Every structure is written in C-alpha cells, then in structure tokens.
C-alpha cells in the first residue's frame, strides 16, 4: 500500500510532519502562503509558495479568501502532483493556511475525483459496448490527517479547531450518504497528549510507516494482511486510530488503553467501528476487545516477532474531545477587554490648545473594508 499513497501538506505544522514522511520515502507536496515557512523546506522536492498572501496570521477566513482567489492554480498544482490512488491532506486544524484552506481543498479534490471517476467509467463502458477490451478504473480516495491543539494552547487555536472539525464532519456526513464516495479516513493527532510537538510528530510518522508496511511482512501460516485488507481499513470514511506497542509492554489491557487513551491520537470514543487490522507478537482475545471497541465488520490479522501494531477504522467522531475545544474557546468570553468610551465625554480646554469635544452622534461600529456578505473571492487582506 505504501506505493499507492502520497501526502499534500498545507501550512507549517503539516510541513514538519511532511518532512518526516518524505524521509521515509513517501511523495509529499508542500503548500504554504508564508515565505519564511517555505525556507524551512529547502531540502524538500515538491514545494510551492501559494500566491496571494504572505502568511495567513492564524486566520482561517483569510486563508479561505486566498484559496478562493487562487483556486485554479492551487488545484492544478495538487492534481498534477497527486498521481497516487490515495491522497492524504495534512494540516493543523487550528492555524491559518492549513486550518482555513484544507476543508475547502479536500472538498474540491473530492469533486474532482468524482468527475474524473464518472468520465473514466463512461470511457470504460464505451469500450465494452464497442467490443474492445478495457480495464476497469481504479478507485481513488482522499483522506485527512489533522492536528488538534492542546487545551493549554490559545482560545483562538481551539476555536479555529472546533470550526475546522465542524466543517470536515459536515463534509463526512455529506459524502457517506452518496452512493459512491471517494472519501477516505480522518486521522486525528492530538497535541493534548504530548507537549513536545516535534516528538509527537515523529511518533506519529513512525507508527504510520510501520503499519503501512504490514503487508510487506513475511507470510505467516496463522494469517496474513495484504494490501487490499489494509487499504480497506484506511479508505473507510470515519475516524482511524492506531496503536504501536513494544513486545515487552504488550497486553490486551495495554492495547485497549493505547487505543482509548492514545499518546499520539485523539481519544477513541464509543464502541462502534468498521475494521480492525493487527500485526502482533501473540494472538489476541477478540471477545475481550469487542467488549471495549465494538464488533467490527471484519478483522484482518497477522503476526510478527518484533512489535505490536493495531488499527481501528470507521469509528465515530470524538464528541467529548470536540466539546473540550469549544469549552476552551469560550473561556475568552469571560475575559474580554472592557472598553468604556464614556471617559472621552469630558470637555477639556487649555490655552493655546485645540478644544476637544465629543461627537454628538454615536461612533459607528467598525466595518471591514470588504463587504462581509460578499463571496470569499472578494475577500481582501
């Protein structure tokens, strides 16, 4: 499966993760609006500075405006790069460039895949009707890897993240109701788990890389996981989470803890999921796992002598964690600056000085230069 996957990284946070993925041999496209962030990618291959702004200042609306204005150029860059069957868009959920653009970029790319798929099938059926030999089109997918902010990070980060998650979950609900969707899984890295963010990024990439290599393990008489099995788990819409445990610290209880209270990913909530994938050093008690994780549609498993790997896919949204984002964001309301303009109502007269008098009419509410009701393409920075 490794050869069928690539990554599109938007923003600085995603750039840090993308560099680690690139070192593992994956194809990565880096997109950013800030030149200073682009300079950090001087050893990377596919790097593009998005025109139209010099950074997005942690402002998702600004990033959305840039995407609307530079839509054609951005999508052309992504489509020309993303030749693999599976593309994951990587971003921070709380920032500007990545957090603001990625929900729109993902939605636009899914629309592109749907149109391309429809055209490919029309061509396929046309050849069959003409009596020609034809190969059925391969299914292509797009998923999301995003990072949630810690609760000790700023209220604006948590507010941005909450709005981001609302957008991508609305997209999920729209896609799963379609007869044919190209949406893959959502993977949620959680800064709340580790204050050392660079270490967290490395742990995530190491875990992901080892799991994507499961089909490359030697064949085992007790069971095997092939590329199709693993792809089925990763391309199922919903939340996907993973666990990696060393042999000496492995037990069913530790595995459940690692999935429910991960030190990398957001907490796994509820007991509903679609697929399990595992490569472990010993057999697992499936009944015990089902009590905590629910009953999957299918369980693909194999064994190895070194490390324990487990994947749960098709899980539901982590409601409690998302509510914590909103709670942290709303803390700002309790500490808003009080501006009392009555202090300027005094009339001051001094010799050789202009007289300062208050205006008779109230000061109008400040309005942005741009019409707030205009389309994003008319957004000015």
């Amino acid at each position: 499966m490794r050869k069928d996957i690539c990554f599109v990284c938007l923003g600085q946070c995603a750039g840090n993760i993308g560099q680690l993925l690139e070192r593992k041999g994956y194809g990565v496209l880096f997109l950013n609006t800030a030149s200073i962030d682009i300079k950090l990618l001087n050893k990377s291959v596919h790097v593009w500075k998005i025109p139209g702004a010099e950074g997005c200042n942690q402002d998702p609306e600004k990033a959305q405006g840039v995407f609307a204005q530079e839509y054609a150029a951005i999508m052309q860059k992504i489509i020309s790069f993303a030749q693999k069957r599976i593309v994951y868009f990587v971003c921070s959920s709380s920032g500007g460039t990545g957090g603001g653009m990625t929900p729109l970029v993902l939605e636009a790319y899914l629309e592109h895949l749907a149109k391309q798929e429809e055209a490919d099938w029309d061509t396929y059926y046309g050849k069959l009707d003409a009596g020609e030999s034809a190969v059925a089109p391969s299914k292509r997918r797009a998923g999301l890897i995003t990072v949630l902010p810690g609760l000790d990070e700023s209220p604006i980060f948590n507010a941005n993240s909450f709005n981001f998650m609302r957008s991508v979950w609305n997209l999920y609900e729209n896609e799963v109701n379609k007869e044919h969707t190209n949406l893959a899984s959502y993977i949620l890295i959680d800064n709340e788990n580790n204050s050392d963010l660079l270490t967290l990024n490395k742990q995530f990439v190491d875990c992901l890389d080892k799991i994507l290599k499961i089909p490359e393990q030697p064949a085992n008489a007790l069971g095997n996981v092939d590329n199709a099995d693993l792809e089925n788990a990763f391309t199922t819409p919903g939340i996907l989470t993973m666990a990696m445990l060393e042999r000496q610290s492995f037990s069913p209880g530790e595995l459940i803890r690692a999935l429910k209270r991960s030190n990398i990913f957001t907490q796994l909530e509820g007991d509903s999921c679609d697929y399990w994938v595992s490569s472990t050093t010993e057999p697992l008690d499936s009944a015990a796992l089902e009590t905590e994780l629910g009953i999957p549609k299918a369980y693909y498993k194999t064994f190895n002598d070194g490390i324990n790997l487990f994947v749960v896919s098709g899980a539901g949204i982590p409601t409690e964690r998302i509510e914590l984002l909103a709670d942290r964001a709303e803390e700002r309301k309790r500490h808003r600056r009080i501006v009392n303009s009555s202090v300027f109502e005094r009339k001051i007269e001094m010799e050789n000085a202009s007289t300062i008098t208050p205006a008779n009419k109230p000061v109008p509410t400040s309005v942005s230069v741009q019409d707030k009701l205009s389309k994003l393409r008319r957004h000015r920075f």
Side-chain angles (χ1 to χ4, degrees):
M1 182 176 165
R2 293 178 76 243
K3 66 181 180 61
D4 294 319
I5 192 168
C6 66
F7 301 88
V8 176
C9 296
L10 294 97
Q12 183 185 10
C13 171
N16 294 335
I17 295 171
Q19 286 179 302
L20 298 173
L21 289 165
E22 199 173 40
R23 290 170 197 162
K24 296 285 187 182
Y26 297 96
V28 182
L29 171 64
F30 298 88
L31 304 177
N32 209 312
T33 56
S35 297
I36 191 169
D37 294 338
I38 290 289
K39 290 179 181 178
L40 297 174
L41 304 168
N42 59 336
K43 294 183 180 179
S44 296
V45 179
H46 304 285
V47 181
W48 188 57
K49 163 69 172 68
I50 298 172
E54 187 50 65
C56 287
N57 322 103
Q58 300 163 8
D59 182 349
E61 288 188 4
K62 180 176 181 179
Q64 292 161 10
V66 173
F67 177 67
Q69 293 177 0
E70 304 296 337
Y71 172 87
I74 293 172
M75 293 309 299
Q76 190 277 331
K77 184 66 66 172
I78 292 171
I79 291 168
S80 63
F81 165 80
Q83 299 302 307
K84 302 290 187 180
R85 290 192 301 106
I86 303 169
V87 182
Y88 271 95
F89 291 88
V90 188
C91 69
S92 164
S93 66
S94 59
T97 300
M101 283 192 191
T102 305
L104 295 173
V105 171
L106 176 57
E107 184 174 6
Y109 189 72
L110 288 169
E111 289 180 358
H112 161 73
L113 290 183
K115 292 177 181 178
Q116 186 63 55
E117 185 174 283
E118 190 70 23
D120 290 344
W121 279 104
D122 286 345
T123 300
Y124 170 74
Y125 288 127
K127 289 184 177 180
L128 291 183
D129 292 341
E132 302 175 15
S133 61
V135 178
S138 297
K139 186 72 177 179
R140 299 184 65 186
R141 299 275 188 170
L144 173 71
I145 298 171
T146 194
V147 182
L148 273 60
L151 297 177
D152 60 346
E153 296 184 58
S154 71
I156 192 64
F157 276 14
N158 281 262
N160 288 348
S161 182
F162 177 83
N163 291 327
F164 174 97
M165 290 303 302
R166 177 166 52 193
S167 296
V168 297
W169 202 255
N170 286 340
L171 176 60
Y172 162 83
E173 291 182 333
N174 290 336
E175 287 293 323
V176 295
N177 289 324
K178 295 179 179 179
E179 183 178 3
H180 303 289
T181 180
N182 299 93
L183 184 65
S185 58
Y186 290 172
I187 300 174
L188 309 181
I189 305 168
D190 199 336
N191 283 355
E192 183 67 12
N193 299 325
N194 193 335
S195 59
D196 186 345
L197 304 185
L198 295 181
T199 296
L200 180 62
N201 292 343
K202 185 177 185 305
Q203 290 173 340
F204 162 68
V205 172
D206 287 345
C207 181
L208 176 65
D209 183 55
K210 284 183 171 61
I211 284 172
L212 292 177
K213 288 178 177 177
I214 288 177
E216 302 170 19
Q217 293 177 356
N220 192 298
L222 296 177
N224 293 291
V225 174
D226 60 27
N227 283 308
D229 297 332
L230 191 61
E231 182 175 326
N232 200 25
F234 271 80
T235 59
T236 295
I239 302 299
L240 182 146
T241 191
M242 300 170 267
M244 179 173 66
L245 294 169
E246 299 296 333
R247 182 169 189 166
Q248 60 269 24
S249 60
F250 181 70
S251 70
E254 280 300 303
L255 174 61
I256 291 170
R257 186 208 63 77
L259 291 167
K260 290 275 190 176
R261 293 291 182 268
S262 173
N263 61 354
I264 302 175
F265 306 98
T266 191
Q267 62 195 39
L268 185 64
E269 297 178 13
D271 58 359
S272 176
C273 60
D274 287 332
Y275 297 101
W276 296 349
V277 180
S278 72
S279 177
T280 55
T281 57
E282 60 186 70
L284 293 170
D285 183 351
S286 297
L289 292 176
E290 287 177 1
T291 301
E292 296 291 335
L293 305 176
I295 302 174
K297 293 179 182 177
Y299 177 17
Y300 310 115
K301 56 186 173 181
T302 188
F303 302 91
N304 71 85
D305 296 327
I307 196 165
N308 296 279
L309 304 166
F310 202 94
V311 178
V312 175
S313 77
I317 190 171
T319 305
E320 293 179 12
R321 181 66 180 92
I322 303 304
E323 287 180 344
L324 289 175
L325 294 173
D327 291 344
R328 172 61 171 153
E330 289 181 340
E331 288 180 7
R332 170 68 176 162
K333 292 181 179 179
R334 298 196 293 271
H335 302 282
R336 283 186 173 173
R337 180 177 56 201
I338 298 175
V339 179
N340 190 348
S341 59
S342 64
V343 69
F344 297 112
E345 293 177 358
R346 296 169 60 186
K347 182 177 180 180
I348 307 298
E349 294 184 1
M350 295 182 65
E351 186 178 355
N352 298 326
S354 299
T355 299
I356 304 172
T357 57
N360 293 324
K361 58 182 180 180
V363 178
T365 304
S366 177
V367 178
S368 176
V369 175
Q370 64 274 17
D371 181 358
K372 291 185 178 180
L373 298 178
S374 66
K375 295 181 180 180
L376 284 173
R377 190 166 283 109
R378 296 178 59 83
H379 190 97
R380 299 181 186 177
F381 319 120

